[in-house]
């Protein structure tokens, strides 16, 4: 079907059609294997190639092959875009690259997070989440869905590596950057619950000053959470 539709058009139109067909298979039909095959038809020199490459990895993730997907994401973010032979000045290609980077950076953080959750109390796995996701909201502030999601994962990673100050700062950033996101309110309330458990422990230990400080911080987080939901 791709050949039939694309044949009457020029090369750029052909690449646009092939990529769009892959997007339809992935997004609307959830035919991830079919989307992989269609993305593979996008030429390496096309302005859509990088998005096709990254979206292929998204499909592999959806098909359950997280290891293969992660390798592609890492190779793309850490290698492909820095290779001089892939340098481009095309405005469209650069825009597509920014989109591809946003997708790849999110998914490799998500996979790292899932690995860390499965591993439990293994600091190195949570450090990987911080390495890949800590600056996501700075690099891709326009991603108003993926950025709050990534910030929540980073907040949890901060908590799991005992960096409570770092974790506490994230809900405040989310309120400032993404006040309309449901994840913003949820993050504030989640950290509130963490502090509540710590505050109860401080009271039992007789540390009234620490417990009072935590109670004050809990009130602030509760206000943030209620204001963002």
């Amino acid at each position: 079907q791709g050949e039939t539709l694309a044949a009457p058009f020029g090369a750029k139109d052909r690449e646009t059609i092939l990529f769009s067909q892959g997007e339809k298979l992935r997004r609307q039909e959830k035919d991830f294997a079919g989307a992989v095959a269609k993305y593979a038809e996008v030429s390496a020199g096309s302005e859509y190639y990088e998005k096709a490459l990254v979206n292929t990895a998204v499909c592999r993730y959806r098909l359950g092959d997280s290891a293969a997907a992660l390798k592609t994401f890492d190779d793309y973010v850490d290698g492909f875009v820095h290779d001089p032979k892939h340098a481009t000045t095309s405005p469209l290609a650069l825009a597509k690259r920014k989109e591809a980077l946003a997708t790849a950076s999110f998914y490799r953080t998500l996979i790292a997070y899932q690995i860390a959750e499965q591993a439990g109390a293994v600091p190195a796995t949570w450090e990987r989440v911080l390495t890949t996701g800590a600056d996501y909201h700075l690099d891709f502030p326009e991603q108003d869905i993926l950025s709050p999601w990534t910030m929540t994962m980073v907040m949890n990673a901060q908590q799991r590596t005992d960096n409570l100050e770092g974790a506490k700062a994230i809900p405040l950033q989310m309120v400032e950057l993404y006040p309309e996101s449901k994840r913003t309110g949820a993050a504030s309330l989640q950290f509130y619950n963490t502090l509540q458990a710590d505050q109860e422990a401080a009271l039992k230990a007789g540390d009234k000053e620490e417990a009072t400080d935590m109670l004050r911080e809990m009130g602030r987080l509760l206000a943030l959470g209620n204001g963002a939901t």
Side-chain angles (χ1 to χ4, degrees), residues 54-133:
V54 168
N55 287 351
T56 293
V58 173
C59 290
R60 296 203 186 284
Y61 169 78
R62 295 295 185 188
L63 290 167
D65 194 349
S66 294
L70 182 58
K71 184 179 187 311
T72 297
F73 295 137
D74 284 344
D75 288 347
Y76 177 71
V77 174
D78 298 329
F80 185 100
V81 297
H82 302 292
D83 191 330
K85 70 182 180 183
H86 298 135
T88 179
T89 57
S90 163
L92 177 58
L94 290 172
K96 297 302 178 187
R97 174 170 289 180
K98 181 75 178 291
E99 294 171 5
L101 276 169
T103 300
S105 298
F106 167 76
Y107 271 98
R108 73 176 188 160
T109 302
L110 176 62
I111 294 172
Y113 186 83
Q114 292 169 340
I115 291 172
E117 281 194 314
Q118 292 171 1
V122 180
T125 60
W126 291 105
E127 289 291 346
R128 165 73 175 174
V129 176
L130 298 175
T131 298
T132 60

Side-chain angles (χ1 to χ4, degrees), residues 3-210:
E3 290 296 327
T4 303
L5 288 173
F9 299 93
K12 286 189 176 182
D13 291 325
R14 177 182 183 279
E15 301 299 334
T16 302
I17 291 171
L18 291 172
F19 180 77
S20 296
Q21 289 174 336
E23 289 291 272
K24 181 180 179 182
L25 288 167
R26 179 175 68 92
R27 290 178 174 274
Q28 298 178 24
E29 300 179 18
K30 308 301 180 184
D31 179 2
F32 301 117
V36 167
K38 187 57 61 178
Y39 288 137
E41 296 182 45
V42 177
S43 302
S46 167
E47 291 167 324
Y48 288 90
Y49 175 72
E50 294 181 37
K51 285 202 68 176
L53 177 68
V54 168
N55 287 351
T56 293
V58 173
C59 290
R60 296 203 186 284
Y61 169 78
R62 295 295 185 188
L63 290 167
D65 194 349
S66 294
L70 182 58
K71 184 179 187 311
T72 297
F73 295 137
D74 284 344
D75 288 347
Y76 177 71
V77 174
D78 298 329
F80 185 100
V81 297
H82 302 292
D83 191 330
K85 70 182 180 183
H86 298 135
T88 179
T89 57
S90 163
L92 177 58
L94 290 172
K96 297 302 178 187
R97 174 170 289 180
K98 181 75 178 291
E99 294 171 5
L101 276 169
T103 300
S105 298
F106 167 76
Y107 271 98
R108 73 176 188 160
T109 302
L110 176 62
I111 294 172
Y113 186 83
Q114 292 169 340
I115 291 172
E117 281 194 314
Q118 292 171 1
V122 180
T125 60
W126 291 105
E127 289 291 346
R128 165 73 175 174
V129 176
L130 298 175
T131 298
T132 60
D135 291 335
Y136 190 92
H137 64 291
L138 301 176
D139 295 333
F140 310 104
E142 74 283 355
Q143 295 290 333
D144 57 357
I145 294 176
L146 299 186
S147 195
W149 189 344
T150 303
M151 293 176 82
T152 301
M153 291 190 284
V154 169
M155 181 189 75
N156 290 334
Q158 296 278 27
Q159 290 180 248
R160 297 299 290 268
T161 54
D162 295 324
N163 183 0
L164 291 184
E165 286 302 311
K168 183 173 67 177
I170 291 177
L172 301 177
Q173 292 176 315
M174 293 176 72
V175 168
E176 179 181 350
L177 297 173
Y178 306 103
E180 303 301 321
S181 172
K182 291 182 179 180
R183 291 186 183 275
T184 295
S188 297
L189 295 175
Q190 180 184 331
F191 196 69
Y192 170 91
N193 292 333
T194 298
L195 282 181
Q196 185 176 41
D198 290 343
Q199 194 253 357
E200 291 173 356
L203 280 175
K204 288 181 180 179
D207 192 343
K208 293 184 178 180
E209 184 177 352
E210 181 71 12

